Each structure stands twice: as structure tokens, then as C-alpha cells.
């Protein structure tokens, strides 16, 4: 991107070629936001509201001005780290590898937030590399913008509880250009042709009548009315739900919006969320009459209704359900769990009890290779369909053992859930089977999470015993879960990051599916590393002063990192999956 060296102040907007809408003055509101840094770590500005301010140095890979400002910025960070949170901001969305390389060359230990879509830099009116911005993480207003030379006095004023005496100073540095903003704001972003299709594809399946989301995006009127909320959840990465680090792996359900889609939506909102007709694509959307994902199931398992009281702590409920109507062995290709009342059903675990079994069951797998996969229920769960020509055999006379976890909501209710199962055609035997393992930590190897620890890490390793294709990754923690990463350590000594769930959310525990299965050699170690936030900054934390043990209830904690794979050789396994 072409840059030009300039000297600018906020009063010289015409010289900069910027509009008032994109150049905030000090003490104007930016709004909350979140970004990933150059190491893939998630940073939400509201999380830092226990600091007096967030301080950002605008930095680009080849900026001489920013490089010259860095030593002074680092010195101020070292002097004020207890009260202020320091970041660098890359407003160009430059390559993470290159940003990391430059940070290493400059001996920089300050996190570099990378603004892939340039929307955060645009919202703050970033003008030039080397510029410093000071943000109040409680009001999300700017209290200072200018060169690093004026930062010391600004921090002293804030530290003393005073207004910044010189909140706006001239900046000299390489100008930051915004090609997407300039292009979009020079025209009318089309609701009909651009924005509505994005909302239809990424939002409306949940935000619809009868959907799991709190309002329906079923018309332009609704999209326009909710546009401030849409802007907020995109800026903070709260929606789409369960989104992961887009720089690691390629997943069919990453739920991340493309950079161009984010820009189109937010620039449309900035233009007043206008309707350009003549038709409203959202109003024309239709949805299936039933929630079954693959048509009417071949078999429906009715889970015994459970009466849930208004209040109290409920023990896990164990039930065994027959596969009524199953008169012959059938190969399973898909399954779906539909909760009767998803406001109280938190999750389920299940296992197959084969005909004539003694009733012993494991809710963590470990059955025979032909055993079918019957999907459980987890927050954000999606219907499960086996990969092509893959399946398991459900034998007549089998039963389904279920473990049900409920949470009370203040009202009595009854949960009557159903599980739909779809079979392959009679006589068809799929050639492939799925396998997998959980990188889990249980007692007595569990280490309690210390009180008030904002970033307590745990790790566990599993070994893939034979050449295999990796398919999915599923993290599971409770209220204090913060992030989880999966890394492959190969027998030749090399390693590769497989997925980065940078902002784990207890409400959306998804099994992330690779778009193309990944081949790994026998002996590959999969390391799952997770972190817990047991601090008061975690709004979901029940008690930050508690040393947190392993436990089944949500106020205790768990660590599960499940991986599924398909062996290249589909013959009988000679080895067992080793958990370390």
C-alpha cells in the first residue's frame, strides 16, 4: 500500500482527505471492540476496564516513524504497566507472519493488534503510523491522540484523575489509507445486492421466527432497527458465534465473516442502513417446516420427558432409551438432537449399549470400530452427518445410554427431547469408519485453577497410532474457559498449529470441521493447550476467589479437547490410541 509522509493535526481534515465521520476528536466515543494480536491471542477492550486506560501505538511493518517512536513507547509501558494496558495497532491488516517477524527484529514484547478489515482503525480515525491513541475502556472514548512525545503528560494527567491537558497534538508519520472505506463511502452500499445476502447466509438461520436467536432478521426494517447492535457485535467479534482465528486452518463452520463482508455491512450502517429495493431479500427467505436437517428421520428416539424445577442445582440425570422400531441392524449416516427446551438443557453425553450388554457404559467413547456415532447435544450443536461412505452399525436390540445436564432458569418446565437418526439404504455397507480421542484431564491429575488467575494454562497430549486423516476438533471447558489451541507435533520434529479457538465461549461449544481432512503420519502427537480466566474480569466467573477443582457442574471446571480422525488403513487397528 502506497504511503506518504505528512504532518497533520485533527484540525487539518481537508489536508488529510478524511471525513468527519472517520476522524474522531479526542473525547469522542469510539465504541467497544476486539482484535487478535500477532500471536493469535484475543483482546477485548472491555476486559481491560480495570486499567486506567488502553494505550495504542499505530505501527506498520515498514514505518520508520513508528519504529523511531517504539523505544519511548516501550519505556512508558515499562513505567506504567500496572495501571495502563499497552498495545500496538497494525491498521493495514498486514500478514501475521510479517508482523511477528518485525516485532522480533525490534525486540518488541508488546502485543500487536492486527486490524484485518481496517474497521477499528477507521472507527478511531487513525491517520498516520506513529500516532498514539489513549482509550478509556469504560466509556470507549479517546482521551488523547498525538505523537509519543505527548504521551507522558497525558498518562500523568489520567493517573492524577485529571482531564488530559493537551488531548490533541499534531502527528508526523506515514499516512494510513483506507481503500475499502474510500470505495464504499463514495457510493451507496447496496442492501439488496450486498448486505441482505450476507445477513441471509450468516445470520438469518438463527435470527428467524422460531430460531434460537432473540430477534428475527426477516426484513430490511428489522436489519435497520438492529443495525447499532449489529455494528457492536461485529466490532467486538461477539457475532457470528463461536468464531475462531481465521488465520489458522480452513473450516466449514468457522463462522467468521470475510473482511469484505464486514466492511460492506459496517459501511452500509454508516450510510444510514438504507433500503435500495425493489425487493427485500430477507423478507423472501423461507425455512423448512420442521427442524430436521436431512428430511424426516428413519428413526426417532424419544428421550423420556424430564421435569425441571424453577430453581436449584440438579444432579446429572442418567437414562437408558431403547431404539424402538429398530428390527434389523442398520448402518447410520446421520443424526440430530433436538432439545425439547434448550433454555434448560445444557448438554448431553451418550453411549451405545449393544444387545445383551451388562449395562456398563462409557460416555467418553472407546467402543468397537463399527459402533455408530449418535450425536449428543451441546450448546450451539449442529446436526451430524458422517463423511461420504462412512458410518457405524446400529444393531437391533441396542439401547442408548444418556447423561443429561440441566440448569434451572427461574421457571418450571419440561424437556422432551428427540433424536433423529438417518440410515444408509438397506444392503449398503459404508467402507470407512471414524475414530478419535479426547485430550482430557481428570482427577487426580487435575490441577486446581488458582484464585484470581486471569490466564491459567493446561495442556494434554494424545497420539495418533496410525496414518490418519484429521476431521474435527471440539473444545470443552466451563465458565472460566478462555481459549484452546490444537497443535500437531510430527515424528520428524516439526510442528504445526491446527486450530486456534482464540475466544472460547461456553455458550457455543462447536465441533470445528476441516474443509479438507488433514493427513498426519502415525505417531503424530496432538497437543491441546487451553487457558482459564479465573479473574474478576471474566463476567461469567461465579467466584474469582475460589481455587477451582474439576467437576461436572458448570461452576467447577473441565478440560476436554476432542479430535476425530479416519485411519488411512481401514483394517483392524493393531494399536490402541495412547493418551498421555
Amino acid at each position: 500500500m502506497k504511503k506518504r509522509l505528512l504532518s497533520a493535526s485533527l484540525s487539518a481534515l481537508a489536508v488529510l482527505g478524511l471525513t468527519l465521520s472517520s476522524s474522531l476528536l479526542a473525547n469522542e466515543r469510539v465504541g467497544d471492540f476486539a482484535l487478535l494480536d500477532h500471536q493469535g491471542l484475543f483482546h477485548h477492550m472491555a476486559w481491560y476496564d480495570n486499567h486506567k486506560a488502553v494505550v495504542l501505538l499505530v505501527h506498520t511493518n515498514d514505518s520508520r516513524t513508528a519504529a523511531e517512536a517504539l523505544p519511548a513507547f516501550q519505556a512508558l509501558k515499562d513505567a506504567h504497566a500496572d495501571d495502563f494496558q499497552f498495545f500496538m495497532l497494525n491498521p493495514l491488516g498486514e500478514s501475521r507472519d510479517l508482523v511477528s517477524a518485525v516485532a522480533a527484529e525490534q525486540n518488541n514484547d508488546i502485543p500487536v493488534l492486527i486490524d484485518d478489515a481496517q474497521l477499528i482503525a477507521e472507527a478511531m480515525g487513525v491517520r498516520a503510523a506513529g500516532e498514539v491513541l489513549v482509550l478509556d475502556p469504560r466509556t470507549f472514548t479517546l482521551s488523547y491522540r498525538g505523537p509519543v512525545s505527548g504521551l507522558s503528560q497525558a498518562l500523568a494527567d489520567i493517573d492524577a484523575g485529571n482531564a488530559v491537558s493537551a488531548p490533541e497534538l499534531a502527528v508526523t508519520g506515514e499516512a494510513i489509507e483506507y481503500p475499502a472505506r474510500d470505495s464504499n463511502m463514495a457510493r451507496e452500499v447496496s442492501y439488496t445486492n450486498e448486505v441482505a445476502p450476507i445477513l441471509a447466509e450468516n445470520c438469518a438461520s438463527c435470527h428467524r421466527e422460531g430460531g434460537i436467536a432473540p430477534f428475527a432478521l426477516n426484513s430490511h426494517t428489522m436489519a435497520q432497527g438492529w443495525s447499532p447492535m449489529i455494528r457492536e457485535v461485529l466490532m467486538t467479534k461477539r457475532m457470528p458465534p463461536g468464531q475462531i482465528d481465521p488465520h489458522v486452518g480452513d473450516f466449514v463452520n468457522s463462522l467468521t465473516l470475510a473482511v469484505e463482508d464486514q466492511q460492506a455491512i459496517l459501511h452500509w450502517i454508516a450510510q444510514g442502513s438504507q433500503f435500495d429495493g425493489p425487493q427485500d431479500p430477507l423478507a423472501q427467505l423461507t425455512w423448512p417446516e420442521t427442524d430436521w436437517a436431512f428430511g424426516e428421520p428413519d428413526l426417532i428416539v424419544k428421550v423420556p420427558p424430564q421435569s425441571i424445577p424453577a430453581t436449584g442445582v440438579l444432579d446429572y440425570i442418567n437414562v437408558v432409551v431403547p431404539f424402538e422400531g429398530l428390527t434389523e441392524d442398520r448402518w447410520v449416516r446421520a443424526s440430530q438432537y433436538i432439545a425439547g427446551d434448550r433454555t434448560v438443557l445444557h448438554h448431553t453425553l451418550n453411549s451405545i449399549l449393544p444387545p445383551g450388554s451388562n449395562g456398563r457404559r462409557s460416555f467418553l467413547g472407546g467402543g468397537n470400530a463399527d459402533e455408530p456415532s449418535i450425536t449428543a447435544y451441546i450448546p450451539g450443536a449442529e446436526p451430524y452427518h458422517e463423511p461420504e461412505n462412512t458410518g457405524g452399525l446400529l444393531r437391533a436390540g441396542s439401547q442408548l445410554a444418556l447423561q443429561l445436564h440441566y440448569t434451572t432458569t427461574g421457571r418450571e418446565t419440561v424437556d422432551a427431547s428427540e433424536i433423529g437418526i438417518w440410515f444408509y439404504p438397506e444392503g449398503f455397507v459404508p467402507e470407512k469408519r471414524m475414530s478419535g480421542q479426547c485430550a482430557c484431564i481428570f482427577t487426580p491429575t487435575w490441577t486446581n485453577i488458582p484464585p484470581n488467575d486471569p490466564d491459567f494454562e493446561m495442556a494434554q497430549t494424545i497420539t495418533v497410532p496410525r496414518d490418519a486423516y484429521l476431521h474435527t476438533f471440539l473444545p470443552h471447558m466451563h465458565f472460566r474457559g478462555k481459549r484452546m489451541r490444537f497443535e500437531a507435533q510430527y515424528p520428524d520434529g516439526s510442528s504445526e498449529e491446527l486450530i486456534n479457538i482464540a475466544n472460547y465461549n461456553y455458550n457455543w461449544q462447536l465441533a470445528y470441521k476441516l474443509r479438507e481432512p488433514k493427513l498426519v503420519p502415525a505417531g503424530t502427537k496432538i497437543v491441546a493447550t487451553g487457558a482459564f480466566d479465573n479473574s474478576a474480569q471474566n463476567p461469567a466467573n461465579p467466584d474469582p476467589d475460589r481455587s477451582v477443582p474439576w467437576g461436572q457442574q458448570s461452576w467447577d471446571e473441565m478440560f476436554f479437547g476432542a479430535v476425530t480422525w479416519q485411519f488411512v488403513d481401514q483394517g483392524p487397528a493393531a494399536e490402541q490410541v495412547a493418551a498421555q
Side-chain angles (χ1 to χ4, degrees):
M1 181 176 293
K2 183 180 179 182
K3 303 181 184 70
R4 59 188 182 279
L5 195 66
L6 53 84
S7 177
S9 69
L10 282 170
S11 61
L13 297 176
V15 175
L16 288 170
L18 302 178
T19 65
L20 283 171
S21 63
S22 62
S23 295
L24 290 178
L25 304 177
N27 299 317
E28 287 192 291
R29 191 173 191 277
V30 175
D32 195 8
F33 64 86
L35 289 170
L36 301 185
D37 70 17
H38 66 296
Q39 296 179 320
L41 297 176
F42 179 85
H43 298 278
H44 183 188
M45 295 304 102
W47 193 87
Y48 295 100
D49 65 1
N50 60 339
H51 292 72
K52 293 181 178 179
V54 172
V55 187
L56 303 109
L57 169 65
V58 179
H59 187 280
T60 62
N61 284 339
D62 58 357
S63 167
R64 177 176 56 83
T65 305
E68 292 174 348
L70 182 56
F73 190 75
Q74 178 75 55
L76 287 169
K77 178 254 186 186
D78 293 341
H80 294 277
D82 290 341
D83 296 314
F84 296 86
Q85 177 63 42
F86 285 74
F87 291 112
M88 295 165 69
L89 174 69
N90 184 293
L92 304 181
E94 293 179 288
S95 160
R96 180 180 291 176
D97 289 342
L98 291 178
V99 172
S100 298
V102 170
E105 290 174 4
Q106 296 176 342
N107 295 316
N108 170 36
D109 62 353
I110 302 172
V112 183
L113 306 181
I114 302 179
D115 188 4
D116 291 325
Q118 289 199 294
L119 293 169
I120 306 305
E122 180 184 327
M124 293 192 293
V126 168
R127 308 175 313 265
E131 182 178 22
V132 174
L133 302 104
V134 179
L135 177 75
D136 185 328
R138 291 163 294 277
T139 64
F140 309 115
T141 56
L142 293 176
S143 53
Y144 171 78
R145 64 184 314 150
V148 72
S149 59
L151 179 59
S152 179
Q153 183 59 52
L155 297 184
D157 290 339
I158 296 171
D159 207 23
N162 300 324
V164 176
S165 54
E168 302 163 18
L169 297 174
V171 179
T172 298
E174 298 86 354
I176 304 302
E177 298 177 355
Y178 297 88
R181 179 202 64 190
D182 296 343
S183 172
N184 286 338
M185 298 304 284
R187 64 183 180 87
E188 183 178 284
V189 178
S190 171
Y191 164 79
T192 302
N193 298 322
E194 298 176 75
V195 174
I198 297 170
L199 298 178
E201 181 179 351
N202 296 279
C203 312
S205 61
C206 292
H207 287 275
R208 61 183 174 90
E209 295 294 340
I212 64 174
F215 58 88
L217 281 172
N218 55 10
S219 68
H220 166 264
T221 300
M222 292 296 288
Q224 185 180 55
W226 285 99
S227 60
M229 175 63 76
I230 293 172
R231 181 185 186 276
E232 188 271 334
V233 299
L234 288 179
M235 296 280 280
T236 59
K237 300 186 184 297
R238 187 152 59 92
M239 286 283 155
Q243 57 184 281
I244 57 178
D245 183 349
H247 296 273
V248 181
D250 184 15
F251 298 86
V252 296
N253 58 339
S254 67
L255 302 183
T256 55
L257 284 182
V259 164
E260 296 79 6
D261 292 346
Q262 297 176 53
Q263 292 167 338
I265 291 174
L266 292 192
H267 290 148
W268 172 73
I269 292 172
Q271 293 172 353
S273 311
Q274 297 301 307
F275 179 69
D276 58 341
Q279 302 295 323
D280 186 345
L282 292 184
Q284 296 175 1
L285 293 175
T286 60
W287 304 101
E289 294 183 2
T290 72
D291 290 328
W292 296 120
F294 313 113
E296 190 66 18
D298 298 312
L299 181 68
I300 297 177
V301 176
K302 294 186 178 296
V303 180
Q306 304 296 322
S307 296
I308 308 303
T311 59
V313 177
L314 305 182
D315 292 332
Y316 282 36
I317 299 172
N318 295 303
V319 298
V320 175
V321 188
F323 290 98
E324 292 185 355
L326 183 66
T327 58
E328 59 182 346
D329 299 353
R330 295 294 300 272
W331 291 90
V332 175
R333 64 180 176 90
S335 58
Q336 180 180 0
Y337 196 115
I338 294 183
D341 188 342
R342 57 178 172 262
T343 66
V344 293
L345 181 61
H346 182 261
H347 76 268
T348 71
L349 297 173
N350 66 45
S351 64
I352 303 292
L353 301 180
S357 75
N358 59 9
R360 294 180 62 188
R361 55 191 182 269
S362 169
F363 293 114
L364 295 174
N368 66 74
D370 282 344
E371 186 172 285
S373 176
I374 306 297
T375 187
Y377 179 83
I378 55 175
E382 296 179 339
Y384 176 74
H385 198 293
E386 295 277 8
E388 184 179 358
N389 202 16
T390 302
L393 184 64
L394 183 59
R395 298 167 60 191
S398 297
Q399 299 181 91
L400 184 66
L402 287 162
Q403 185 182 80
L404 311 173
H405 178 200
Y406 291 99
T407 57
T408 55
T409 62
R411 65 175 181 86
E412 294 183 1
T413 187
V414 174
D415 170 61
S417 298
E418 294 182 325
I419 305 171
I421 302 174
W422 290 263
F423 300 125
Y424 282 101
E426 290 188 28
F428 180 86
V429 179
E431 297 175 355
K432 301 176 182 179
R433 310 285 178 266
M434 292 298 296
S435 188
Q437 187 65 31
C438 179
C440 303
I441 301 176
F442 299 99
T443 55
T445 58
W446 175 269
T447 300
N448 277 17
I449 302 169
N452 300 295
D453 192 325
D455 196 62
F456 183 74
E457 282 196 350
M458 293 186 183
Q460 183 67 308
T461 300
I462 57 179
T463 302
V464 183
R466 297 151 56 194
D467 293 354
Y469 290 99
L470 303 182
H471 278 256
T472 66
F473 306 90
L474 170 66
H476 175 75
M477 297 179 281
H478 289 170
F479 288 139
R480 298 167 181 83
K482 183 175 184 178
R483 65 175 186 272
M484 188 177 288
R485 306 175 95 142
F486 291 76
E487 179 186 65
Q489 296 180 352
Y490 298 116
D492 66 1
S494 63
S495 63
E496 180 182 10
E497 189 168 22
L498 300 170
I499 186 172
N500 175 21
I501 302 102
N503 182 31
Y504 173 83
N505 188 330
Y506 181 55
N507 296 312
W508 298 97
Q509 299 173 38
L510 306 179
Y512 296 98
K513 182 179 179 181
L514 284 164
R515 192 173 304 278
E516 295 292 336
K518 184 174 185 61
L519 177 64
V520 297
T524 297
K525 296 182 183 299
I526 308 295
V527 181
T529 302
F532 298 87
D533 180 0
N534 192 25
S535 74
Q537 294 307 105
N538 177 0
N541 191 354
D543 183 1
D545 296 323
R546 183 170 177 247
S547 176
V548 184
W550 186 95
Q552 292 184 326
Q553 296 293 348
S554 300
W555 52 79
D556 295 327
E557 275 300 338
M558 290 184 178
F559 182 100
F560 292 175
V563 186
T564 65
W565 58 70
Q566 200 172 66
F567 289 123
V568 173
D569 175 9
Q570 287 288 308
E575 309 94 334
Q576 295 294 320
V577 175
Q580 298 182 357

